[in-house]
Amino acid sequence: MAFTLTRLLFLLLLSYCFFTSAVLADSTLKTYIIRVDSESKPSIFVSHRHWYSSFILGDGAAPESASRILHIYDTVFHGFSASLSASEIGSLRSNPSVLAVFEDRRRQLHTTRSPQFLGLRNQKGLWSDSDYGSDVIVGVLDTGIWPERRSFSDLNLGPVPKRWKGVCESGEKFGPLNCNRKLVGARFFLKGNEASGRGAGPGIGGGINNTAEFRSPRDADGHGTHTASTAAGRHSFRASMAGYAFGIAKGVAPKARLAAYKVCWKDSGCFDSDILAAFDAAVNDGVDVISISIGGGDGVSSPYYLDPIAIGSYGAVAHGTFVSSSAGNEGPNGMTVTNIAPWLTTVGAGTIDRNFPAEVILGNGVKLSGVSLYSGPPLSGKMYPLVYPGKSGVLSASLCMEDSLDSNLVKGKIVICDRGSSARVAKGLVVQKAGGVGMILANGLSNGEGLVGDAHMIPTAAIGASEGDSVKAYISSTTHPTATIEFRGTLVGIKPAPVVASFSGRGPNGLNPEILKPDLIAPGVITRFPVSCPGVRKPLPENLNYPSIAALFSSSKTGVQSKSFTRTVTNVGDPKSVYQVKVELAPKGVSMTVNPTRLVFSEAVKKQSYTVIIKASTNSLMLDDSGSAFGSISWSDGKHVVRSPIVVTQVSPL
């Protein structure tokens, strides 16, 4: 009897443990974004918030559930984000009013001369004709803004456009007085970030690092201030970077107004739920342009209907707001471009004709070209012993990671550090801490020959992968290797330029190869409402009215293959214009025919269509190292030239 009772108590305790574990597991909250058919809201609910609250815990539980709703979306799309348990999500997925459910994800953040390099001139041409972007309102989704910068002065600017409905939110070291006629609005979004960071700690799952951040629109990182000033900064005279790139700093649209939307936080990234809330707010506020340099960075492209940036930008474009996004920093490998939705303008990173050369001079007389923005005391031609810690085979030492260098090995020497894993400038600080006098920062294969000039704390030159190999080979060839570094200041007129930066995301488009992405380089499917299209064939992606053309031919077929592309153009210039076509740079093995060859516009005829027929011969088609061939067609009226890039490639059938 005692044994039976003991066994019963044990089983009850075991059952209780299992039950408790299940409850605890189910109570683990994650942040989700829920897209809802707003038209199906029952009339008994006074607002969408009350209705959404009932989704979570049922009728009568709105006060408790409402506290877990983070954002309500009602402009770029309809729905909400909330901290939910697994069982609540299961229930939501079965709700007929719920269109989509996806988990919140963390995203990552992806010039005095740029306007001149782009050919923009004062009092002449496009810049002057647009009045330097006067009264255009640019919304920047980024890390916030540092309002005291000279780039954000409102000197001599007129009143804020009456259509503007935004606000200047108060917070830590930021208030209404920080906005003006230039910086017309500022908001910050952190609910999604904080919810994802509960119990994880800053920089792990999310959460704001209070020691490094401002709970306000103020920029603690610098990225947002940089992107905002690049887009629309005022003229800032006598600007330089520690003496480099001296000149007048200004944005591409210096008279445009700015609105800052802080969605990214130092050390903790940017969360989809907050990004969508910023899209919603920006469109409601009345911005004309949204600039967003944020992306996934994981090499995987989500379907458009599950990509919050694609969803938010679709809603924005539907409201007449132009959206510009970054292509990402995951290059130079192929298919690394992010933000690839057709309605987005995706911008890759390109160089300009300016360089900051630094020269590594080896003990054997060999000179290697590099770059640097180091502005401290020079080495003055003195040769120092040269050492490569990575020669030991220890990865952390080759990368000059924190506490990885032996001071006995590097003291008084120039140290070679491999690029990667840690910040470039931080490697120099590690070298300095260990007693090194200088650093040569060498690219690996993944970075190739693409160089980035940094303001290093010790004499440093960044060099490409081939130069890095040369330095390491020199060290192995002699018992007493030496080197010095000379800094050449700022040079302009460098050619070729522009060149796609090594880190810039590259195509092809991972979801729709027929749509060329990125759309351009610059210095530095699901709809909102149900749509029925009876009797209409699904259009081909390659016939989307896109300015570029991507012709994909099957690699399994032989002989000549042909594809036809139709485009429609709108005349925005002189009403009576005639444009003549020119086929340029036709790739070998490819023929291109355009019909008609002339487009005649008048007061009554503002739109014209044309067809491009591309034929490729598998016997003579010449593709480059990227597996593609490139060409273009251009239309000219003798004054203006409108160019469409063309890419020809071969694909294997699935």
Side-chain angles (χ1 to χ4, degrees), residues 240-258:
S240 71
M241 174 61 183
Y244 287 90
F246 187 85
I248 303 172
K250 61 272 185 188
V252 175
K255 282 191 178 181
R257 316 304 175 109
L258 278 166

Side-chain angles (χ1 to χ4, degrees), residues 301 304 325-327 334-348 500 505-521 540-552 565 567 587 592 614 624 626-633 643-651:
S301 298
Y304 303 138
S325 62
S326 56
M335 207 177 288
T336 51
V337 60
T338 63
N339 299 322
I340 55 179
W343 46 87
L344 281 166
T345 297
T346 308
V347 185
V500 177
R506 286 161 164 75
N509 183 327
L511 288 182
N512 292 113
E514 304 91 344
I515 299 172
L516 192 64
K517 290 287 182 175
D519 296 296
L520 48 90
I521 61 172
L540 296 174
E542 57 258 40
N543 279 331
L544 181 69
N545 199 40
Y546 224 61
S548 57
I549 293 175
L552 279 64
F565 304 86
R567 295 291 187 266
M592 292 189 285
I614 302 178
D624 66 12
S626 69
S628 302
F630 299 89
S632 65
I633 60 170
R643 178 179 174 273
S644 288
I646 294 176
V647 176
V648 177
T649 189
Q650 288 185 302
V651 294

Side-chain angles (χ1 to χ4, degrees), residues 477-547:
S477 70
T478 180
T479 55
H480 299 290
T482 59
T484 191
I485 305 172
E486 293 188 356
F487 304 95
R488 307 296 188 189
T490 305
L491 292 182
V492 296
I494 302 298
K495 296 187 181 301
V499 174
V500 177
S502 64
F503 62 85
S504 179
R506 286 161 164 75
N509 183 327
L511 288 182
N512 292 113
E514 304 91 344
I515 299 172
L516 192 64
K517 290 287 182 175
D519 296 296
L520 48 90
I521 61 172
V525 168
I526 194 151
T527 58
R528 190 161 174 260
F529 304 103
V531 174
S532 176
C533 303
V536 178
R537 291 191 307 169
K538 183 179 178 181
L540 296 174
E542 57 258 40
N543 279 331
L544 181 69
N545 199 40
Y546 224 61

Side-chain angles (χ1 to χ4, degrees), residues 440-612:
I440 298 173
L441 184 60
N443 280 0
L445 287 176
S446 61
N447 298 114
E449 306 306 318
L451 301 178
V452 181
D454 295 302
H456 292 278
M457 303 302 292
I458 63 172
T460 297
I463 60 176
S466 59
E467 286 88 350
D469 291 341
S470 297
V471 175
K472 293 168 188 175
Y474 164 66
I475 288 179
S476 299
S477 70
T478 180
T479 55
H480 299 290
T482 59
T484 191
I485 305 172
E486 293 188 356
F487 304 95
R488 307 296 188 189
T490 305
L491 292 182
V492 296
I494 302 298
K495 296 187 181 301
V499 174
V500 177
S502 64
F503 62 85
S504 179
R506 286 161 164 75
N509 183 327
L511 288 182
N512 292 113
E514 304 91 344
I515 299 172
L516 192 64
K517 290 287 182 175
D519 296 296
L520 48 90
I521 61 172
V525 168
I526 194 151
T527 58
R528 190 161 174 260
F529 304 103
V531 174
S532 176
C533 303
V536 178
R537 291 191 307 169
K538 183 179 178 181
L540 296 174
E542 57 258 40
N543 279 331
L544 181 69
N545 199 40
Y546 224 61
S548 57
I549 293 175
L552 279 64
F553 294 100
S554 173
S555 60
S556 64
K557 296 181 180 179
T558 58
V560 177
Q561 302 177 54
S562 178
K563 281 185 174 288
S564 177
F565 304 86
T566 301
R567 295 291 187 266
T568 301
V569 292
T570 302
N571 180 28
V572 295
D574 298 333
K576 296 181 180 180
S577 300
V578 178
Y579 282 81
Q580 188 79 29
V581 74
K582 180 181 179 181
V583 177
E584 301 174 317
L585 305 174
K588 187 175 181 180
V590 176
S591 66
M592 292 189 285
T593 305
V594 182
N595 186 39
T597 59
R598 296 168 73 245
L599 300 177
V600 181
F601 297 96
S602 65
E603 293 277 4
V605 180
K606 297 184 181 299
K607 292 181 181 287
Q608 291 278 23
S609 296
Y610 63 90
T611 300
V612 180

